[in-house]
Amino acid sequence: MSCASDQRWFAVGTSTSTDPVAAGGEAVTAALTGPDPKLIVVFCSGTLDPALVARGANAAAGGVPLIGASTAGEIATDRAGDAGVVATAIGGPGITAATAAVGTIDGRHREAGALVAGCAADLDPGLHRVLLLLPDGLSGAHQEIIRGAYSVLGAEVPLVGGCAGDGWRMRRTHQLHGEQVLTGGLVAAAIGSTAPLGIGVHHGWRKIGSPMMVTSGAGNRIFELDRVPALDTYLTCRNAPPAAYTDQAAFVEFATLHPLGLVRSSGQEEMRYISAADYEARQLVCLADLPANALVWLTDGDDGTILDATGAACREAVAALGGRQPLGLFAFDCVSRRAVLGDDGIMAELKEINAAACGAPVAGFYTYGEIARIRGSNGYHNQTLVVLAMS
């Protein structure tokens, strides 16, 4: 499916072939519908061999710059699910793009963010610009990638993207950069356009009660909330089921529906997914770091609030186009939101996204973390939907 103006076009191709070479080739071939292609973005199921997907995709791309990531599920205009490849191509004289990659980001997240942000220097500063980031989803410290990119680009260039997944296996994710297949890496594309770009960010979780201070913690661990062991406070304040007090699986099931929310000094809200309980130390383990002395809220939500947030994120992204019709939408949706929605819910969500797209094609994936830096120097999210609209 494609959409075009006189200067720019955005097209999406898909494949559900079980042959990874064929899947990569079919999806890219279907996406290459317009003249002067500038960038191809590939999202591939973690069940497919990424090296073979890359082989097929690059053969079809014919030298067009390509980035991509493995997923925890793929999103396209007419489908949302697993075991496929979704490819997006953008181009035309009104589009420019440049790509970059860092092979291993573990231990040098800020440096990696700064390195890939350098590719934006190749774009005309007079264009509408955005930096699309696709990092490894298992390396942690993703906010440091954002800070590194921000140190190079400043406030003028927003950051968007999603963290690569591996279908909930939590073992290894992959990133594609041309013919390179990386593990534990970071790939990026700086996109410039003669027409506006819009970003929408919403999560759908409701604040409960009064804020609490993280009075002790380190990295992605919370030791104390309001000077009480964090795990005890969390379980008692949310009336957790008895099994969550002793069983890790029951705790994670409960925590998926009750993430922590925080508000940055910029006013931007961010969610933090609680990935585990440390029963011995009475600590909470989060997917991402929290700032020292952060004020956090307990939250809850359901499929209704999540779908409301989906519509809000999409409308916000399209509204930022200044009255122009979208050419296409990228959607970066947290895999834990997918778990809450279930199979019927993700189809309802896709309907919401398509309604906001006004007939334009849609591409995206279910992530291990979402990126949306619109204001301030932060912008790493969990359990959130981030939408990039192009016009």
Side-chain angles (χ1 to χ4, degrees), residues 203-226:
H203 50 73
W205 303 100
R206 301 169 295 209
K207 294 177 183 175
I208 298 171
S210 300
M212 297 176 292
M213 179 175 286
V214 179
T215 47
S216 180
N220 66 333
R221 284 179 171 259
I222 304 175
F223 303 157
E224 293 180 352
L225 290 169
D226 287 344

Side-chain angles (χ1 to χ4, degrees), residues 292-336:
N293 300 317
L295 286 177
V296 298
W297 278 263
L298 299 175
T299 73
D300 69 4
D302 53 36
D303 53 355
T305 62
I306 288 175
L307 289 175
D308 287 345
T310 296
C314 294
R315 290 190 296 271
E316 181 177 66
V318 172
L321 301 179
R324 293 175 177 264
Q325 289 295 303
L327 285 181
L329 268 61
F330 283 108
F332 305 99
D333 199 357
C334 183
V335 66
S336 63

Side-chain angles (χ1 to χ4, degrees), residues 110 141-147 201 203 207 211-212 214 219-220 260-273 286-297 370-382:
R110 189 173 296 206
H142 296 103
Q143 63 275 16
E144 290 300 311
I145 294 173
I146 295 167
R147 291 185 182 119
V201 188
H203 50 73
K207 294 177 183 175
M212 297 176 292
V214 179
N220 66 333
L260 291 177
L262 66 111
V263 179
R264 295 286 188 176
S265 58
S266 64
Q268 180 168 272
E269 291 188 5
E270 296 179 12
M271 303 307 298
R272 288 293 179 264
Y273 176 64
C286 298
L287 195 61
D289 295 359
L290 280 85
N293 300 317
L295 286 177
V296 298
W297 278 263
E370 304 75 56
I371 296 168
R373 193 219 62 79
I374 304 170
R375 54 187 181 275
S377 60
N378 300 292
Y380 177 67
H381 304 265
N382 299 144

Side-chain angles (χ1 to χ4, degrees), residues 116-117 138 162 188 191 223 234 243 248 273 298 343 384:
V116 299
L138 301 176
I191 300 171
F223 303 157
Y234 179 76
Q248 196 70 242
Y273 176 64
L298 299 175
D343 291 342
T384 296

